[in-house]
Amino acid sequence: MAGSFTRMIAGRNGAVLLASLGAGTMATGFLMSDNTLAAEARTKLYPPSSDFPDLRKHNNCMAKALTPAIYGRLRDKITPNNWTLDQCIQTGVDNPGHPFIKTVGCVAGDEESYEVFSELFDPIIKDRHNGYDPTTMTHPTDLDASKITNGVFDDKYVLSSRVRTGRSIRGLSLPPACSRAERREVERVVVMALAGLQGDLAGRYYGLQDLTDKEQQQLIDDHFLFDKPVSPLLTCAFMARDWPDARGIWHNNEKTFLIWVNEEDHTRVISMEKGGNMKRVFERFCRGLKQVEQLIQERGWEFMWNERLGYILTCPSNLGTGLRAGVHVRLPNLSKDTRFSKILDNLRLQKRGTGGVDTAATGDTFDISNNDRLGKSEVELVQMLVDGVNYLIECEKKMEKGQDIKVPSPVTQFRR
Amino acid sequence: MPFGNTHNNFKLNYKVEDEFPDLSKHNNHMAKVLTKELYGKIRDRQTPSGYTLDDVIQTGVDNPGHPFIMTVGCVAGDEESYEVFKDLLDPIISDRHGGYKPTDKHVTDLNFENLKGGDDLDPAYVLSSRVRTGRSIKGFTLPPHNSRGERRGIEKLSVEALTSLDGEFKGKYYPLKSMTDAEQDQLINDHFLFDKPVSPLLTCAGMARDWPDGRGIMHNDNKTFLVWVNEEDHLRVISMQQGGNMREVFKRFCVGLQKIEEIFKKHGHGFMWNEHLGYILTCPSNLGTGLRGGVHVKLPKLSVHAKFNEILGRLRLQKRGTGGVDTASVGGVFDISNADRLGSSEVAQVQLVVDGVKLMVEMEKKLEKGEAIDSMIPAQK
């Protein structure tokens, strides 16, 4: 695979390689059999139109954006890490739709995917991120947690608070594309950096391959353990290869700061605690992130980031901040109101089941988090979540007293 | 796909020990053979279509072991894989196929008249008979590697060939992606429909990509001859019927295959075959004849006899559950088929099934009467 064009190069190099291995011309001739066509003939036989995927029954962002013309221009291109368009879109071809969410349907294999294949990624980003135009707009990054106001919720309603994001190590391919050596390098870089964290952030790393039964059970009980992906959205994007090689979990001794290594992204960074103190959760989040960044910079590494797309992650849906700030909140009355979805929409919040993205809500407790990732800063998004959850709790309290509630007007999109 | 030679060149910048997979907890043929030294020696090779060592072994790296069977742990991406990666595949082939040497020659015999007997297996015990094999079409890469364009090319050629068959082979092609609900239900009821692979042995080898594009099923009007297009191999050809007339099943199998091969040859795309490895298929376990000939047979008493497995081994047969390779037996009914694929011909392998099943049914009858079967236990075939 890897595109017909690159296969053609292989064809020519193949002959040279075989010859260099000592295969005589006869053997090389045997191996380059009659039916192995010359490079140019192969392009003619398999032009992009013959390879264009059948997306008629598909409903994801990639299927909406990918036209035969775009495919024709991009199919034979390759990133500096040798990643192709077909590899970006394979997950979207293999997964026509998802019952609960409109999926993106493509992934990046490296930082350059977003440039080399921008003709496809830019419209997908615009579609997914509410009109954010990467060709004209810039993304703000702000990790100053002190700016958050009213960030402590009523514990009677909010059972837990959590903020997560991802970070990628510049210079190494992303999980869909990385070789075993690159993945192990990511693990080395990150684990070495994390060993430098101190105070309330001091902790330790558990490599998935070397877990003892006791450690495994503890991580399960703490709800920290992540398992080999079963979602075809991820497996079809090659992210489960070589499992569990170079995957692991790091957490601080207090179990409030957690990092996943080499799952869907190089790193997923999570700050969490029971109760409603979102301000403290976000403060620890920002502090931890900045310290980790400093620690890798001391060794000559940095995170993937640019001002067009913010933090670069595997899935285009996580560009920008990559941030999902959320709470588990009890809303027994409000959740039964027909206006609940509309209220969430206007507050730019989304609900999930307490099992995460692929679950439905059961009972009265919901996972409520921010919709947006790109075009607003971390501080702005967390403040929106805080304001939104406070509003939801106010509604719940009103309804407990038999009072009526109002649907709030929609929060504005982008500043610009 | 999945990654190909250009990505492979990029990996060569990393040291062998950094790229070598961790196979310490693995138990498959690939893990037994692949050492760091061997990996280092052949990791920079690629086939003319760009298939690489990591592509070959990915499925074995991702699947350390299987509960019922010792898996192969690697696949071919094209015909040339077996040559370019012979340093890895020859020892695996030898291990898997009873010591088959790189210098050995494989005999193909699809002359059904060479089969002796096979038309009198007792239908009170033998519920159904079936013979399957696979065929790969020269000039195309294999399911782990082929692009959508190639897969569609294979489908187009196959449909032309299969729908031109006549007589008892006359039938219809059902593409998976445009099947009506009624057609789908019918194919399920007939036990013909194959579904998107769920086994990680196949999905990790990239064989489920773009499903169901380019996949389909052809079967004859009598529902005794069936061809799967673009599942684990380019073609899987199946002849089957209720009851114990394996001779008839095998005749239909041979005649049908030869008709199909003629048509493909006329289009300039014969089947992949060579005199060392016989028919070339995706999985090294299916080289040679690619043939699995078997029956569903009731052996409730024999199957719990202490010597059942030994008998099977001596007869060169294997047992499976009636749901296929990944299942266990239900109600004393077993799927009994030939264990060998490479190094003996189609006729020889089906002969072993015919003779072996006949003997086992006689053993079952003896056990029903409370008699011993020790004198009937055969020598190693």
Side-chain angles (χ1 to χ4, degrees), chain A residues 366-408:
Chain A
F366 291 83
D367 175 322
I368 302 288
S369 63
N370 55 297
N371 263 340
D372 306 321
R373 304 272 184 272
L374 175 64
K376 288 195 152 90
S377 73
E378 290 81 354
V379 165
E380 286 174 296
L381 291 177
V382 173
Q383 190 63 60
M384 266 169 61
L385 182 274
V386 162
D387 295 343
V389 170
N390 279 327
Y391 191 91
L392 295 175
I393 293 173
E394 283 313 304
C395 288
E396 184 67 26
K397 285 177 172 170
K398 282 204 166 109
M399 291 174 84
E400 280 170 15
K401 296 192 217 134
Q403 294 168 8
D404 196 21
I405 56 169
K406 264 183 17 197
V407 175

mmCIF file of all heavy atoms in Angstrom, chain A residues 366-408:
data_model
loop_
_atom_site.group_PDB
_atom_site.id
_atom_site.type_symbol
_atom_site.label_atom_id
_atom_site.label_comp_id
_atom_site.label_asym_id
_atom_site.label_seq_id
_atom_site.Cartn_x
_atom_site.Cartn_y
_atom_site.Cartn_z
ATOM 1 N N PHE A 366 -24.744 12.431 35.395
ATOM 2 C CA PHE A 366 -24.209 12.660 34.058
ATOM 3 C C PHE A 366 -22.772 13.134 34.111
ATOM 4 O O PHE A 366 -22.346 13.789 35.067
ATOM 5 C CB PHE A 366 -25.042 13.725 33.340
ATOM 6 C CG PHE A 366 -26.420 13.263 33.008
ATOM 7 C CD1 PHE A 366 -27.428 13.318 33.963
ATOM 8 C CD2 PHE A 366 -26.705 12.754 31.757
ATOM 9 C CE1 PHE A 366 -28.707 12.873 33.669
ATOM 10 C CE2 PHE A 366 -27.983 12.315 31.453
ATOM 11 C CZ PHE A 366 -28.991 12.370 32.407
ATOM 12 N N ASP A 367 -22.070 12.796 33.033
ATOM 13 C CA ASP A 367 -20.754 13.383 32.789
ATOM 14 C C ASP A 367 -21.032 14.607 31.911
ATOM 15 O O ASP A 367 -21.493 14.470 30.785
ATOM 16 C CB ASP A 367 -19.904 12.337 32.063
ATOM 17 C CG ASP A 367 -18.537 12.839 31.638
ATOM 18 O OD1 ASP A 367 -18.407 14.007 31.219
ATOM 19 O OD2 ASP A 367 -17.590 12.052 31.694
ATOM 20 N N ILE A 368 -20.785 15.790 32.437
ATOM 21 C CA ILE A 368 -21.017 17.022 31.675
ATOM 22 C C ILE A 368 -19.667 17.672 31.417
ATOM 23 O O ILE A 368 -18.882 17.875 32.351
ATOM 24 C CB ILE A 368 -21.895 18.014 32.472
ATOM 25 C CG1 ILE A 368 -23.241 17.360 32.839
ATOM 26 C CG2 ILE A 368 -22.099 19.314 31.705
ATOM 27 C CD1 ILE A 368 -24.189 17.184 31.686
ATOM 28 N N SER A 369 -19.390 17.995 30.149
ATOM 29 C CA SER A 369 -18.096 18.579 29.821
ATOM 30 C C SER A 369 -18.229 19.572 28.683
ATOM 31 O O SER A 369 -19.280 19.688 28.054
ATOM 32 C CB SER A 369 -17.105 17.480 29.446
ATOM 33 O OG SER A 369 -17.534 16.806 28.284
ATOM 34 N N ASN A 370 -17.133 20.269 28.401
ATOM 35 C CA ASN A 370 -17.141 21.258 27.322
ATOM 36 C C ASN A 370 -17.159 20.573 25.967
ATOM 37 O O ASN A 370 -16.506 19.557 25.766
ATOM 38 C CB ASN A 370 -15.908 22.156 27.426
ATOM 39 C CG ASN A 370 -14.605 21.351 27.457
ATOM 40 O OD1 ASN A 370 -14.372 20.562 28.378
ATOM 41 N ND2 ASN A 370 -13.764 21.527 26.450
ATOM 42 N N ASN A 371 -17.887 21.183 25.040
ATOM 43 C CA ASN A 371 -17.949 20.714 23.652
ATOM 44 C C ASN A 371 -16.689 21.054 22.888
ATOM 45 O O ASN A 371 -16.210 20.313 22.049
ATOM 46 C CB ASN A 371 -19.073 21.444 22.912
ATOM 47 C CG ASN A 371 -20.339 20.671 22.865
ATOM 48 O OD1 ASN A 371 -20.343 19.466 23.036
ATOM 49 N ND2 ASN A 371 -21.430 21.376 22.637
ATOM 50 N N ASP A 372 -16.212 22.272 23.104
ATOM 51 C CA ASP A 372 -15.206 22.848 22.225
ATOM 52 C C ASP A 372 -13.796 22.485 22.629
ATOM 53 O O ASP A 372 -13.513 22.179 23.777
ATOM 54 C CB ASP A 372 -15.348 24.376 22.203
ATOM 55 C CG ASP A 372 -16.757 24.808 21.856
ATOM 56 O OD1 ASP A 372 -17.360 24.164 20.980
ATOM 57 O OD2 ASP A 372 -17.256 25.772 22.468
ATOM 58 N N ARG A 373 -12.907 22.551 21.608
ATOM 59 C CA ARG A 373 -11.501 22.280 21.890
ATOM 60 C C ARG A 373 -10.607 23.346 21.276
ATOM 61 O O ARG A 373 -9.561 23.672 21.829
ATOM 62 C CB ARG A 373 -11.077 20.926 21.264
ATOM 63 C CG ARG A 373 -11.889 19.716 21.680
ATOM 64 C CD ARG A 373 -11.378 19.059 22.932
ATOM 65 N NE ARG A 373 -12.163 17.854 23.214
ATOM 66 C CZ ARG A 373 -13.290 17.825 23.926
ATOM 67 N NH1 ARG A 373 -13.775 18.945 24.463
ATOM 68 N NH2 ARG A 373 -13.941 16.688 24.106
ATOM 69 N N LEU A 374 -11.001 23.844 20.105
ATOM 70 C CA LEU A 374 -10.134 24.681 19.286
ATOM 71 C C LEU A 374 -10.768 26.051 19.094
ATOM 72 O O LEU A 374 -11.967 26.163 18.838
ATOM 73 C CB LEU A 374 -9.947 23.990 17.922
ATOM 74 C CG LEU A 374 -9.172 24.704 16.820
ATOM 75 C CD1 LEU A 374 -7.719 24.912 17.221
ATOM 76 C CD2 LEU A 374 -9.255 23.884 15.540
ATOM 77 N N GLY A 375 -9.967 27.088 19.212
ATOM 78 C CA GLY A 375 -10.477 28.441 19.001
ATOM 79 C C GLY A 375 -10.696 29.199 20.295
ATOM 80 O O GLY A 375 -10.885 30.402 20.285
ATOM 81 N N LYS A 376 -10.689 28.495 21.388
ATOM 82 C CA LYS A 376 -10.772 29.134 22.707
ATOM 83 C C LYS A 376 -9.650 28.567 23.559
ATOM 84 O O LYS A 376 -9.284 27.410 23.399
ATOM 85 C CB LYS A 376 -12.114 28.837 23.373
ATOM 86 C CG LYS A 376 -13.307 29.558 22.761
ATOM 87 C CD LYS A 376 -14.512 29.490 23.707
ATOM 88 C CE LYS A 376 -15.438 30.676 23.523
ATOM 89 N NZ LYS A 376 -16.473 30.418 22.503
ATOM 90 N N SER A 377 -9.183 29.350 24.512
ATOM 91 C CA SER A 377 -8.068 28.885 25.331
ATOM 92 C C SER A 377 -8.555 27.935 26.422
ATOM 93 O O SER A 377 -9.760 27.810 26.668
ATOM 94 C CB SER A 377 -7.364 30.072 25.980
ATOM 95 O OG SER A 377 -8.191 30.581 27.023
ATOM 96 N N GLU A 378 -7.602 27.330 27.111
ATOM 97 C CA GLU A 378 -7.921 26.425 28.219
ATOM 98 C C GLU A 378 -8.714 27.159 29.302
ATOM 99 O O GLU A 378 -9.731 26.666 29.800
ATOM 100 C CB GLU A 378 -6.629 25.853 28.826
ATOM 101 C CG GLU A 378 -5.877 24.861 27.962
ATOM 102 C CD GLU A 378 -5.000 25.503 26.890
ATOM 103 O OE1 GLU A 378 -5.053 26.749 26.733
ATOM 104 O OE2 GLU A 378 -4.264 24.768 26.220
ATOM 105 N N VAL A 379 -8.230 28.329 29.643
ATOM 106 C CA VAL A 379 -8.920 29.105 30.683
ATOM 107 C C VAL A 379 -10.351 29.414 30.264
ATOM 108 O O VAL A 379 -11.294 29.243 31.039
ATOM 109 C CB VAL A 379 -8.144 30.408 30.998
ATOM 110 C CG1 VAL A 379 -9.006 31.388 31.784
ATOM 111 C CG2 VAL A 379 -6.870 30.081 31.776
ATOM 112 N N GLU A 380 -10.515 29.869 29.015
ATOM 113 C CA GLU A 380 -11.864 30.193 28.533
ATOM 114 C C GLU A 380 -12.777 28.978 28.586
ATOM 115 O O GLU A 380 -13.935 29.067 28.992
ATOM 116 C CB GLU A 380 -11.796 30.711 27.099
ATOM 117 C CG GLU A 380 -11.260 32.128 26.988
ATOM 118 C CD GLU A 380 -11.067 32.534 25.540
ATOM 119 O OE1 GLU A 380 -10.235 31.918 24.838
ATOM 120 O OE2 GLU A 380 -11.757 33.467 25.098
ATOM 121 N N LEU A 381 -12.265 27.820 28.163
ATOM 122 C CA LEU A 381 -13.107 26.625 28.120
ATOM 123 C C LEU A 381 -13.477 26.154 29.529
ATOM 124 O O LEU A 381 -14.623 25.765 29.788
ATOM 125 C CB LEU A 381 -12.397 25.505 27.370
ATOM 126 C CG LEU A 381 -12.223 25.727 25.867
ATOM 127 C CD1 LEU A 381 -11.437 24.577 25.254
ATOM 128 C CD2 LEU A 381 -13.560 25.868 25.171
ATOM 129 N N VAL A 382 -12.515 26.205 30.435
ATOM 130 C CA VAL A 382 -12.818 25.761 31.797
ATOM 131 C C VAL A 382 -13.795 26.735 32.452
ATOM 132 O O VAL A 382 -14.719 26.323 33.167
ATOM 133 C CB VAL A 382 -11.527 25.595 32.627
ATOM 134 C CG1 VAL A 382 -11.850 25.311 34.085
ATOM 135 C CG2 VAL A 382 -10.689 24.440 32.059
ATOM 136 N N GLN A 383 -13.613 28.029 32.169
ATOM 137 C CA GLN A 383 -14.552 29.006 32.732
ATOM 138 C C GLN A 383 -15.962 28.762 32.193
ATOM 139 O O GLN A 383 -16.950 28.850 32.922
ATOM 140 C CB GLN A 383 -14.105 30.425 32.419
ATOM 141 C CG GLN A 383 -14.893 31.491 33.173
ATOM 142 C CD GLN A 383 -14.696 31.362 34.682
ATOM 143 O OE1 GLN A 383 -13.584 31.456 35.198
ATOM 144 N NE2 GLN A 383 -15.789 31.139 35.409
ATOM 145 N N MET A 384 -16.059 28.438 30.915
ATOM 146 C CA MET A 384 -17.358 28.136 30.320
ATOM 147 C C MET A 384 -17.979 26.912 30.975
ATOM 148 O O MET A 384 -19.189 26.867 31.213
ATOM 149 C CB MET A 384 -17.212 27.866 28.821
ATOM 150 C CG MET A 384 -17.435 29.094 27.970
ATOM 151 S SD MET A 384 -16.957 28.822 26.258
ATOM 152 C CE MET A 384 -18.063 27.508 25.814
ATOM 153 N N LEU A 385 -17.154 25.924 31.253
ATOM 154 C CA LEU A 385 -17.653 24.723 31.913
ATOM 155 C C LEU A 385 -18.133 25.080 33.325
ATOM 156 O O LEU A 385 -19.225 24.678 33.747
ATOM 157 C CB LEU A 385 -16.529 23.672 31.959
ATOM 158 C CG LEU A 385 -16.755 22.275 32.558
ATOM 159 C CD1 LEU A 385 -16.559 22.204 34.059
ATOM 160 C CD2 LEU A 385 -18.073 21.664 32.144
ATOM 161 N N VAL A 386 -17.327 25.858 34.010
ATOM 162 C CA VAL A 386 -17.673 26.269 35.377
ATOM 163 C C VAL A 386 -18.989 27.048 35.393
ATOM 164 O O VAL A 386 -19.910 26.737 36.157
ATOM 165 C CB VAL A 386 -16.522 27.106 35.981
ATOM 166 C CG1 VAL A 386 -16.981 27.902 37.187
ATOM 167 C CG2 VAL A 386 -15.353 26.193 36.361
ATOM 168 N N ASP A 387 -19.080 28.038 34.514
ATOM 169 C CA ASP A 387 -20.304 28.843 34.456
ATOM 170 C C ASP A 387 -21.500 27.968 34.091
ATOM 171 O O ASP A 387 -22.594 28.115 34.660
ATOM 172 C CB ASP A 387 -20.170 29.963 33.412
ATOM 173 C CG ASP A 387 -19.101 30.978 33.790
ATOM 174 O OD1 ASP A 387 -18.689 31.010 34.976
ATOM 175 O OD2 ASP A 387 -18.650 31.732 32.897
ATOM 176 N N GLY A 388 -21.269 27.069 33.145
ATOM 177 C CA GLY A 388 -22.352 26.200 32.697
ATOM 178 C C GLY A 388 -22.835 25.267 33.793
ATOM 179 O O GLY A 388 -24.049 25.135 34.021
ATOM 180 N N VAL A 389 -21.921 24.634 34.483
ATOM 181 C CA VAL A 389 -22.314 23.698 35.541
ATOM 182 C C VAL A 389 -23.001 24.434 36.684
ATOM 183 O O VAL A 389 -23.996 23.953 37.247
ATOM 184 C CB VAL A 389 -21.095 22.888 36.040
ATOM 185 C CG1 VAL A 389 -21.435 22.097 37.295
ATOM 186 C CG2 VAL A 389 -20.615 21.935 34.946
ATOM 187 N N ASN A 390 -22.498 25.619 37.003
ATOM 188 C CA ASN A 390 -23.170 26.413 38.035
ATOM 189 C C ASN A 390 -24.603 26.719 37.635
ATOM 190 O O ASN A 390 -25.526 26.662 38.456
ATOM 191 C CB ASN A 390 -22.387 27.708 38.301
ATOM 192 C CG ASN A 390 -21.207 27.467 39.235
ATOM 193 O OD1 ASN A 390 -21.256 26.619 40.129
ATOM 194 N ND2 ASN A 390 -20.135 28.215 39.051
ATOM 195 N N TYR A 391 -24.773 27.016 36.354
ATOM 196 C CA TYR A 391 -26.129 27.297 35.866
ATOM 197 C C TYR A 391 -27.021 26.074 35.994
ATOM 198 O O TYR A 391 -28.172 26.154 36.420
ATOM 199 C CB TYR A 391 -26.076 27.770 34.406
ATOM 200 C CG TYR A 391 -27.387 28.332 33.935
ATOM 201 C CD1 TYR A 391 -27.678 29.701 34.054
ATOM 202 C CD2 TYR A 391 -28.378 27.509 33.385
ATOM 203 C CE1 TYR A 391 -28.890 30.220 33.640
ATOM 204 C CE2 TYR A 391 -29.589 28.019 32.978
ATOM 205 C CZ TYR A 391 -29.840 29.374 33.113
ATOM 206 O OH TYR A 391 -31.051 29.879 32.713
ATOM 207 N N LEU A 392 -26.469 24.894 35.612
ATOM 208 C CA LEU A 392 -27.254 23.658 35.693
ATOM 209 C C LEU A 392 -27.667 23.362 37.142
ATOM 210 O O LEU A 392 -28.799 22.953 37.412
ATOM 211 C CB LEU A 392 -26.442 22.479 35.150
ATOM 212 C CG LEU A 392 -26.083 22.497 33.661
ATOM 213 C CD1 LEU A 392 -25.178 21.324 33.322
ATOM 214 C CD2 LEU A 392 -27.323 22.471 32.785
ATOM 215 N N ILE A 393 -26.727 23.613 38.054
ATOM 216 C CA ILE A 393 -27.035 23.361 39.466
ATOM 217 C C ILE A 393 -28.118 24.329 39.958
ATOM 218 O O ILE A 393 -29.029 23.932 40.696
ATOM 219 C CB ILE A 393 -25.767 23.458 40.325
ATOM 220 C CG1 ILE A 393 -24.804 22.308 39.969
ATOM 221 C CG2 ILE A 393 -26.101 23.416 41.818
ATOM 222 C CD1 ILE A 393 -23.456 22.402 40.637
ATOM 223 N N GLU A 394 -28.029 25.571 39.511
ATOM 224 C CA GLU A 394 -29.073 26.539 39.870
ATOM 225 C C GLU A 394 -30.432 26.073 39.384
ATOM 226 O O GLU A 394 -31.442 26.163 40.098
ATOM 227 C CB GLU A 394 -28.764 27.924 39.262
ATOM 228 C CG GLU A 394 -27.697 28.705 39.997
ATOM 229 C CD GLU A 394 -27.935 28.706 41.488
ATOM 230 O OE1 GLU A 394 -29.040 29.116 41.933
ATOM 231 O OE2 GLU A 394 -27.035 28.276 42.247
ATOM 232 N N CYS A 395 -30.463 25.585 38.142
ATOM 233 C CA CYS A 395 -31.719 25.050 37.587
ATOM 234 C C CYS A 395 -32.230 23.908 38.448
ATOM 235 O O CYS A 395 -33.424 23.844 38.789
ATOM 236 C CB CYS A 395 -31.498 24.533 36.163
ATOM 237 S SG CYS A 395 -31.254 25.827 34.951
ATOM 238 N N GLU A 396 -31.338 23.008 38.789
ATOM 239 C CA GLU A 396 -31.732 21.844 39.601
ATOM 240 C C GLU A 396 -32.312 22.309 40.927
ATOM 241 O O GLU A 396 -33.351 21.811 41.366
ATOM 242 C CB GLU A 396 -30.512 20.939 39.812
ATOM 243 C CG GLU A 396 -30.792 19.643 40.552
ATOM 244 C CD GLU A 396 -31.679 18.664 39.790
ATOM 245 O OE1 GLU A 396 -31.697 18.711 38.543
ATOM 246 O OE2 GLU A 396 -32.362 17.859 40.446
ATOM 247 N N LYS A 397 -31.649 23.273 41.566
ATOM 248 C CA LYS A 397 -32.124 23.770 42.868
ATOM 249 C C LYS A 397 -33.498 24.408 42.727
ATOM 250 O O LYS A 397 -34.389 24.220 43.550
ATOM 251 C CB LYS A 397 -31.133 24.788 43.440
ATOM 252 C CG LYS A 397 -29.867 24.167 43.987
ATOM 253 C CD LYS A 397 -28.892 25.252 44.478
ATOM 254 C CE LYS A 397 -27.720 24.604 45.197
ATOM 255 N NZ LYS A 397 -26.649 25.589 45.474
ATOM 256 N N LYS A 398 -33.658 25.193 41.646
ATOM 257 C CA LYS A 398 -34.962 25.833 41.404
ATOM 258 C C LYS A 398 -36.047 24.788 41.265
ATOM 259 O O LYS A 398 -37.116 24.897 41.854
ATOM 260 C CB LYS A 398 -34.899 26.680 40.130
ATOM 261 C CG LYS A 398 -34.208 28.017 40.257
ATOM 262 C CD LYS A 398 -34.716 28.961 39.162
ATOM 263 C CE LYS A 398 -34.301 30.393 39.461
ATOM 264 N NZ LYS A 398 -33.255 30.842 38.531
ATOM 265 N N MET A 399 -35.757 23.765 40.482
ATOM 266 C CA MET A 399 -36.769 22.749 40.225
ATOM 267 C C MET A 399 -37.106 21.970 41.492
ATOM 268 O O MET A 399 -38.244 21.534 41.670
ATOM 269 C CB MET A 399 -36.294 21.796 39.114
ATOM 270 C CG MET A 399 -36.232 22.484 37.751
ATOM 271 S SD MET A 399 -35.529 21.448 36.462
ATOM 272 C CE MET A 399 -36.953 20.521 35.965
ATOM 273 N N GLU A 400 -36.112 21.812 42.376
ATOM 274 C CA GLU A 400 -36.392 21.154 43.654
ATOM 275 C C GLU A 400 -37.438 21.943 44.436
ATOM 276 O O GLU A 400 -38.273 21.374 45.145
ATOM 277 C CB GLU A 400 -35.113 21.065 44.494
ATOM 278 C CG GLU A 400 -34.181 19.936 44.120
ATOM 279 C CD GLU A 400 -32.837 20.059 44.832
ATOM 280 O OE1 GLU A 400 -32.747 20.844 45.807
ATOM 281 O OE2 GLU A 400 -31.886 19.385 44.402
ATOM 282 N N LYS A 401 -37.357 23.285 44.306
ATOM 283 C CA LYS A 401 -38.305 24.142 45.035
ATOM 284 C C LYS A 401 -39.579 24.370 44.248
ATOM 285 O O LYS A 401 -40.414 25.180 44.640
ATOM 286 C CB LYS A 401 -37.642 25.491 45.343
ATOM 287 C CG LYS A 401 -36.446 25.404 46.263
ATOM 288 C CD LYS A 401 -36.027 26.788 46.744
ATOM 289 C CE LYS A 401 -34.508 26.841 46.835
ATOM 290 N NZ LYS A 401 -33.943 28.052 46.258
ATOM 291 N N GLY A 402 -39.698 23.686 43.111
ATOM 292 C CA GLY A 402 -40.904 23.825 42.313
ATOM 293 C C GLY A 402 -40.916 25.069 41.452
ATOM 294 O O GLY A 402 -41.933 25.428 40.861
ATOM 295 N N GLN A 403 -39.781 25.743 41.349
ATOM 296 C CA GLN A 403 -39.721 26.949 40.515
ATOM 297 C C GLN A 403 -39.395 26.575 39.082
ATOM 298 O O GLN A 403 -38.865 25.496 38.802
ATOM 299 C CB GLN A 403 -38.651 27.901 41.043
ATOM 300 C CG GLN A 403 -38.969 28.464 42.416
ATOM 301 C CD GLN A 403 -37.737 29.155 42.999
ATOM 302 O OE1 GLN A 403 -36.734 29.323 42.318
ATOM 303 N NE2 GLN A 403 -37.830 29.542 44.260
ATOM 304 N N ASP A 404 -39.706 27.520 38.180
ATOM 305 C CA ASP A 404 -39.407 27.249 36.779
ATOM 306 C C ASP A 404 -38.003 27.732 36.430
ATOM 307 O O ASP A 404 -37.387 28.526 37.146
ATOM 308 C CB ASP A 404 -40.440 27.919 35.862
ATOM 309 C CG ASP A 404 -40.397 27.341 34.464
ATOM 310 O OD1 ASP A 404 -39.884 26.201 34.299
ATOM 311 O OD2 ASP A 404 -40.852 28.009 33.513
ATOM 312 N N ILE A 405 -37.519 27.234 35.309
ATOM 313 C CA ILE A 405 -36.157 27.586 34.893
ATOM 314 C C ILE A 405 -36.191 28.258 33.529
ATOM 315 O O ILE A 405 -37.196 28.200 32.826
ATOM 316 C CB ILE A 405 -35.266 26.330 34.787
ATOM 317 C CG1 ILE A 405 -35.903 25.307 33.817
ATOM 318 C CG2 ILE A 405 -35.075 25.700 36.159
ATOM 319 C CD1 ILE A 405 -35.002 24.166 33.444
ATOM 320 N N LYS A 406 -35.095 28.869 33.167
ATOM 321 C CA LYS A 406 -35.006 29.506 31.851
ATOM 322 C C LYS A 406 -33.925 28.852 31.013
ATOM 323 O O LYS A 406 -32.886 28.419 31.550
ATOM 324 C CB LYS A 406 -34.654 30.984 32.036
ATOM 325 C CG LYS A 406 -35.872 31.884 32.026
ATOM 326 C CD LYS A 406 -35.616 33.373 32.131
ATOM 327 C CE LYS A 406 -34.234 33.852 31.849
ATOM 328 N NZ LYS A 406 -34.039 35.217 32.362
ATOM 329 N N VAL A 407 -34.170 28.803 29.704
ATOM 330 C CA VAL A 407 -33.117 28.369 28.803
ATOM 331 C C VAL A 407 -32.187 29.551 28.555
ATOM 332 O O VAL A 407 -32.657 30.614 28.126
ATOM 333 C CB VAL A 407 -33.702 27.873 27.458
ATOM 334 C CG1 VAL A 407 -32.589 27.530 26.478
ATOM 335 C CG2 VAL A 407 -34.622 26.680 27.689
ATOM 336 N N PRO A 408 -30.913 29.426 28.844
ATOM 337 C CA PRO A 408 -30.016 30.571 28.682
ATOM 338 C C PRO A 408 -29.767 30.867 27.207
ATOM 339 O O PRO A 408 -29.918 29.982 26.359
ATOM 340 C CB PRO A 408 -28.724 30.092 29.352
ATOM 341 C CG PRO A 408 -28.743 28.612 29.158
ATOM 342 C CD PRO A 408 -30.181 28.196 29.216
#
